[in-house]
Amino acid sequence: MNRNLYHILAHRPALEDFETNTETEELAQRLVRSGLLRIDTGDKINFVRYSYPFGASYVIFSYRQLYDPHLVINTRNVLRYILKNQQTHSVSEGQLDETIQRLRYEVDKSPHITEEIELKIARALVQATHPVVLYLLLWEEVEMFVTYSYSIGDLLDVQSWESLRWNNGMQTTYGKDYAIFVSADGDPFDESKPGATQGDGTPALARLMIIAAQEMGHYSDIIRDRAGNPISRHSTNLNATNPKRACRQARYQDKQHMQMVLQKARKKGLSRLVEEQKQYQFYKEQHLHWLKRAFIKWHYKLGLQFFFLRCSCHKIGFLGNLPRQLRTPLGIEDAIGDMIFNIEPKADAYDSPNASVREALACVEAMARVPQQVQKWGHPFVRQTMPNLYHMYYHEVIPSCVKAYEMISGAKFRRKRDKQAFKKRFVGYFHYLWRVAKDNRRRRKVKSEE
């Protein structure tokens, strides 16, 4: 029962420009224009590696960083520094031009990723976390890698790949060199397989946002000094070897709370309702006993209403706070099991002979999974099911990010209100329909010419 689910979203994100609010759209546009977004769709890629011998390492440049006039300046500075360490004599402008031309040739070997896809992925990433985390990511120029593969192995160098190739996501911190890696396990925008729980379409989009939320949750957990240097974490020390008392206590209390919720839900008849829903689904898939199927459906749906009523009388009425599409016996069971698993995640990577390190890793993961759980089950449900970690994340971690951003950037963080939201969506919707009709006409014309 207890497992981590990746195919569920509480709300479908806004992916078109007319659907997003002003703040989300501005952040998405900034993320794309920054050149920090690296995407690998399998047949298309928008970045290239530049390997250099000393340190047996490499640096990655995106298509925009090689072609955008505003970004090429910084690209030349990075290459100048690398080449200067490789040779004794000074680096000439001709040598830089030659290196950039070679990198452009390499990145042009792969078909280009359209700006539309870049923006859709950027919008999804922006909506996977609190806006101030994106402001920090952009200010610190954090590279964000997104792959349509199942794991992040194809995004890493060989040495890292050997040990981390099966990871779903990763967030690295070495000094101030951060990077975030996310895998989607499919094309998030291919809706050819409705109702699937894995692969292209909604499952891939859900996986992308859930993993991104967790990895950016790790990033937001970092405590910085006035210069922006990482000095600790809210959950543990910086190296994740010694848990903070407040986070350890919050995790323990939430774990006890969810065990209590599970016991009460079972006493109120959740297990029986789950079996009835499974029976109904079996009959429906096999097209058997339509009369009996209709009775079972009516019975478990009526029983679900009484279940919510009994829960509200025993202080677990928040189980009804799940999004409408998840408010079923199986949905409730999945939500409870998923919540318990993510409060105390289990994996080989979190195992250690040292008890303090095991507890520290559990605290780091549990803290980072608060925004991940919000993506799956929504704020109302997570606020009630893991109240201590939720409060710690949104009342300690996020305000700390706001403070860090204001100290580092010197700018005041303010949320943007979208006063023209209705007008924008109304006009944008008809503009979207016009674009779809135009594309259909173009396809019909091409087809007729063939």
PDB file of all heavy atoms in Angstrom, residues 203-216:
ATOM      1  N   PRO A 203       0.556  11.272 -17.329  1.00  0.00           N
ATOM      2  CA  PRO A 203       1.510  10.669 -16.387  1.00  0.00           C
ATOM      3  C   PRO A 203       2.908  11.285 -16.465  1.00  0.00           C
ATOM      4  O   PRO A 203       3.544  11.509 -15.440  1.00  0.00           O
ATOM      5  CB  PRO A 203       1.531   9.193 -16.805  1.00  0.00           C
ATOM      6  CG  PRO A 203       0.231   8.968 -17.486  1.00  0.00           C
ATOM      7  CD  PRO A 203      -0.081  10.254 -18.181  1.00  0.00           C
ATOM      8  N   ALA A 204       3.380  11.569 -17.688  1.00  0.00           N
ATOM      9  CA  ALA A 204       4.709  12.178 -17.845  1.00  0.00           C
ATOM     10  C   ALA A 204       4.725  13.607 -17.304  1.00  0.00           C
ATOM     11  O   ALA A 204       5.700  14.033 -16.672  1.00  0.00           O
ATOM     12  CB  ALA A 204       5.126  12.159 -19.314  1.00  0.00           C
ATOM     13  N   LEU A 205       3.647  14.345 -17.545  1.00  0.00           N
ATOM     14  CA  LEU A 205       3.558  15.714 -17.029  1.00  0.00           C
ATOM     15  C   LEU A 205       3.533  15.707 -15.507  1.00  0.00           C
ATOM     16  O   LEU A 205       4.199  16.520 -14.856  1.00  0.00           O
ATOM     17  CB  LEU A 205       2.305  16.395 -17.582  1.00  0.00           C
ATOM     18  CG  LEU A 205       2.038  17.820 -17.103  1.00  0.00           C
ATOM     19  CD1 LEU A 205       3.173  18.746 -17.510  1.00  0.00           C
ATOM     20  CD2 LEU A 205       0.711  18.336 -17.658  1.00  0.00           C
ATOM     21  N   ALA A 206       2.757  14.774 -14.930  1.00  0.00           N
ATOM     22  CA  ALA A 206       2.698  14.662 -13.474  1.00  0.00           C
ATOM     23  C   ALA A 206       4.069  14.307 -12.904  1.00  0.00           C
ATOM     24  O   ALA A 206       4.524  14.909 -11.920  1.00  0.00           O
ATOM     25  CB  ALA A 206       1.664  13.613 -13.072  1.00  0.00           C
ATOM     26  N   ARG A 207       4.731  13.347 -13.527  1.00  0.00           N
ATOM     27  CA  ARG A 207       6.051  12.928 -13.055  1.00  0.00           C
ATOM     28  C   ARG A 207       7.051  14.075 -13.129  1.00  0.00           C
ATOM     29  O   ARG A 207       7.839  14.287 -12.201  1.00  0.00           O
ATOM     30  CB  ARG A 207       6.535  11.743 -13.897  1.00  0.00           C
ATOM     31  CG  ARG A 207       7.857  11.146 -13.460  1.00  0.00           C
ATOM     32  CD  ARG A 207       8.283  10.037 -14.414  1.00  0.00           C
ATOM     33  NE  ARG A 207       9.575   9.492 -14.052  1.00  0.00           N
ATOM     34  CZ  ARG A 207       9.767   8.489 -13.199  1.00  0.00           C
ATOM     35  NH1 ARG A 207       8.727   7.927 -12.629  1.00  0.00           N
ATOM     36  NH2 ARG A 207      10.984   8.043 -12.924  1.00  0.00           N
ATOM     37  N   LEU A 208       7.015  14.824 -14.221  1.00  0.00           N
ATOM     38  CA  LEU A 208       7.920  15.962 -14.386  1.00  0.00           C
ATOM     39  C   LEU A 208       7.730  16.967 -13.255  1.00  0.00           C
ATOM     40  O   LEU A 208       8.702  17.424 -12.636  1.00  0.00           O
ATOM     41  CB  LEU A 208       7.681  16.618 -15.741  1.00  0.00           C
ATOM     42  CG  LEU A 208       8.605  17.766 -16.164  1.00  0.00           C
ATOM     43  CD1 LEU A 208       8.736  17.801 -17.684  1.00  0.00           C
ATOM     44  CD2 LEU A 208       8.089  19.118 -15.688  1.00  0.00           C
ATOM     45  N   MET A 209       6.472  17.319 -12.959  1.00  0.00           N
ATOM     46  CA  MET A 209       6.206  18.336 -11.948  1.00  0.00           C
ATOM     47  C   MET A 209       6.481  17.825 -10.541  1.00  0.00           C
ATOM     48  O   MET A 209       6.982  18.570  -9.687  1.00  0.00           O
ATOM     49  CB  MET A 209       4.757  18.815 -12.070  1.00  0.00           C
ATOM     50  CG  MET A 209       4.472  19.558 -13.361  1.00  0.00           C
ATOM     51  SD  MET A 209       2.879  20.383 -13.340  1.00  0.00           S
ATOM     52  CE  MET A 209       3.102  21.618 -12.074  1.00  0.00           C
ATOM     53  N   ILE A 210       6.169  16.553 -10.285  1.00  0.00           N
ATOM     54  CA  ILE A 210       6.386  15.984  -8.952  1.00  0.00           C
ATOM     55  C   ILE A 210       7.870  15.909  -8.630  1.00  0.00           C
ATOM     56  O   ILE A 210       8.309  16.307  -7.546  1.00  0.00           O
ATOM     57  CB  ILE A 210       5.714  14.593  -8.865  1.00  0.00           C
ATOM     58  CG1 ILE A 210       4.193  14.749  -8.841  1.00  0.00           C
ATOM     59  CG2 ILE A 210       6.185  13.836  -7.631  1.00  0.00           C
ATOM     60  CD1 ILE A 210       3.440  13.462  -9.089  1.00  0.00           C
ATOM     61  N   ILE A 211       8.653  15.395  -9.578  1.00  0.00           N
ATOM     62  CA  ILE A 211      10.098  15.289  -9.342  1.00  0.00           C
ATOM     63  C   ILE A 211      10.740  16.670  -9.274  1.00  0.00           C
ATOM     64  O   ILE A 211      11.606  16.929  -8.437  1.00  0.00           O
ATOM     65  CB  ILE A 211      10.762  14.424 -10.428  1.00  0.00           C
ATOM     66  CG1 ILE A 211      10.260  12.971 -10.307  1.00  0.00           C
ATOM     67  CG2 ILE A 211      12.281  14.461 -10.316  1.00  0.00           C
ATOM     68  CD1 ILE A 211      10.749  12.055 -11.408  1.00  0.00           C
ATOM     69  N   ALA A 212      10.296  17.584 -10.149  1.00  0.00           N
ATOM     70  CA  ALA A 212      10.831  18.953 -10.109  1.00  0.00           C
ATOM     71  C   ALA A 212      10.529  19.617  -8.769  1.00  0.00           C
ATOM     72  O   ALA A 212      11.380  20.316  -8.203  1.00  0.00           O
ATOM     73  CB  ALA A 212      10.244  19.770 -11.258  1.00  0.00           C
ATOM     74  N   ALA A 213       9.320  19.404  -8.253  1.00  0.00           N
ATOM     75  CA  ALA A 213       8.947  19.986  -6.961  1.00  0.00           C
ATOM     76  C   ALA A 213       9.849  19.468  -5.850  1.00  0.00           C
ATOM     77  O   ALA A 213      10.288  20.232  -4.976  1.00  0.00           O
ATOM     78  CB  ALA A 213       7.483  19.656  -6.658  1.00  0.00           C
ATOM     79  N   GLN A 214      10.161  18.173  -5.889  1.00  0.00           N
ATOM     80  CA  GLN A 214      11.027  17.588  -4.860  1.00  0.00           C
ATOM     81  C   GLN A 214      12.449  18.130  -4.967  1.00  0.00           C
ATOM     82  O   GLN A 214      13.051  18.512  -3.958  1.00  0.00           O
ATOM     83  CB  GLN A 214      11.048  16.070  -4.991  1.00  0.00           C
ATOM     84  CG  GLN A 214      11.962  15.391  -3.978  1.00  0.00           C
ATOM     85  CD  GLN A 214      12.006  13.887  -4.160  1.00  0.00           C
ATOM     86  OE1 GLN A 214      11.084  13.301  -4.695  1.00  0.00           O
ATOM     87  NE2 GLN A 214      13.082  13.270  -3.713  1.00  0.00           N
ATOM     88  N   GLU A 215      12.993  18.176  -6.184  1.00  0.00           N
ATOM     89  CA  GLU A 215      14.371  18.645  -6.342  1.00  0.00           C
ATOM     90  C   GLU A 215      14.506  20.125  -6.011  1.00  0.00           C
ATOM     91  O   GLU A 215      15.495  20.551  -5.417  1.00  0.00           O
ATOM     92  CB  GLU A 215      14.862  18.365  -7.765  1.00  0.00           C
ATOM     93  CG  GLU A 215      14.776  16.909  -8.206  1.00  0.00           C
ATOM     94  CD  GLU A 215      15.290  15.927  -7.170  1.00  0.00           C
ATOM     95  OE1 GLU A 215      16.294  16.240  -6.488  1.00  0.00           O
ATOM     96  OE2 GLU A 215      14.693  14.855  -7.025  1.00  0.00           O
ATOM     97  N   MET A 216      13.505  20.917  -6.384  1.00  0.00           N
ATOM     98  CA  MET A 216      13.543  22.333  -5.997  1.00  0.00           C
ATOM     99  C   MET A 216      13.253  22.501  -4.509  1.00  0.00           C
ATOM    100  O   MET A 216      13.654  23.491  -3.897  1.00  0.00           O
ATOM    101  CB  MET A 216      12.557  23.131  -6.855  1.00  0.00           C
ATOM    102  CG  MET A 216      13.029  23.302  -8.292  1.00  0.00           C
ATOM    103  SD  MET A 216      12.036  24.436  -9.285  1.00  0.00           S
ATOM    104  CE  MET A 216      10.658  23.372  -9.723  1.00  0.00           C
TER     105      MET A 216
END
